[in-house]
Amino acid sequence: SGDPAAMVGLSAADEVAVERFLAGAIRFSDIHVYLRRGAELGARSGGDTGSVEGILAIDAAVRHALAPATVGV
């Protein structure tokens, strides 16, 4: 077990990172930066993981925060 909000953030970040890797926008070795940042953002979100709406809100916030101009990879 762990912080459910961090896990939601990690999952969102994983999808963003893999998409960018497959598109050639980042190197494989950059993926960990996205994963760490996504987990941190999810954990700090204070989001409610007890509802689908809360999970989707955390997911959207992490994806927004990981927009290309904000990651710094």
Side-chain angles (χ1 to χ4, degrees):
S1 73
D3 181 347
M7 290 183 215
V8 173
L10 178 67
S11 177
D14 181 58
E15 291 181 17
V16 170
V18 169
E19 180 180 309
R20 291 192 185 147
F21 170 71
L22 294 175
I26 65 170
R27 297 181 314 251
F28 181 80
S29 60
D30 294 330
I31 292 174
H32 78 281
V33 175
Y34 284 79
L35 301 183
R36 178 175 292 130
R37 183 76 176 131
E40 290 170 354
L41 290 166
R44 293 183 196 159
S45 72
D48 174 22
T49 58
S51 69
V52 172
E53 294 81 9
I55 291 169
L56 292 174
I58 296 167
D59 182 276
V62 169
R63 288 173 191 268
H64 177 73
L66 294 178
T70 63
V71 175
V73 186

